[in-house]
Amino acid sequence: LVNLLSLLFNPCALYGILGIVISMIIDYCFYGFWTIPVLGNLHFNVIMGMGSLYGTHPIHWYLTAGIPAMTGLFFPLLIMDFFIDERRHKKWNLRSVCWCIILSYTILHSLSSHKEFRFL
């Protein structure tokens, strides 16, 4: 588990922090004060539950409609890649880490009632 966490966060932390800092500087230039607009969106859509004003889909929508529509003809390859046997590998590899990120992102977004293709 420690190996997985270090593989996930070590390369991503630098670029994630850098992206947040650059975004905050750009937002400061345009708004004139320090702000993080993503937190406003999170508050409105998730905490207040107002995202449903823009339409709703069932919890399984990303898995049954969103991902198949976005991947198109590559969907069978995506499914095949997911089920490839990884028991021969003793440690987490980059492919496993990518699948962990993709699945956790999709599951978390599936909990919201308002879903759009652009959220994927």
Side-chain angles (χ1 to χ4, degrees):
L1 182 63
V2 173
N3 190 19
L4 170 65
L5 291 176
S6 67
L7 189 60
L8 274 173
F9 292 109
N10 286 344
C12 299
L14 173 66
Y15 297 112
I17 292 170
L18 183 64
I20 290 170
V21 169
I22 290 172
S23 173
M24 288 179 66
I25 292 170
I26 291 171
D27 290 337
Y28 179 78
C29 292
F30 283 98
Y31 291 116
F33 56 91
W34 293 106
T35 182
I36 303 175
V38 172
L39 294 180
N41 292 337
L42 176 74
H43 182 262
F44 181 81
N45 291 322
V46 178
I47 296 172
M48 293 176 57
M50 302 299 266
S52 60
L53 293 174
Y54 304 106
T56 61
H57 291 290
I59 197 166
H60 58 81
W61 187 82
Y62 281 135
L63 296 176
T64 58
I67 293 173
M70 291 192 70
T71 56
L73 294 174
F74 291 106
F75 187 67
L77 296 174
L78 184 74
I79 297 299
M80 185 179 75
D81 184 70
F82 179 75
F83 287 108
I84 287 177
D85 187 13
E86 286 295 321
R87 281 179 272 176
R88 63 184 181 275
H89 298 290
K90 301 291 184 215
K91 62 179 183 175
W92 288 89
N93 58 16
L94 184 59
R95 191 179 144 275
S96 300
V97 171
C98 287
W99 273 111
C100 284
I101 293 169
I102 291 168
L103 289 175
S104 61
Y105 183 87
T106 305
I107 289 168
L108 285 175
H109 274 74
S110 293
L111 298 177
S112 172
S113 60
H114 178 66
K115 297 170 184 65
E116 295 184 27
F117 289 116
R118 65 186 174 119
F119 296 164
L120 290 175

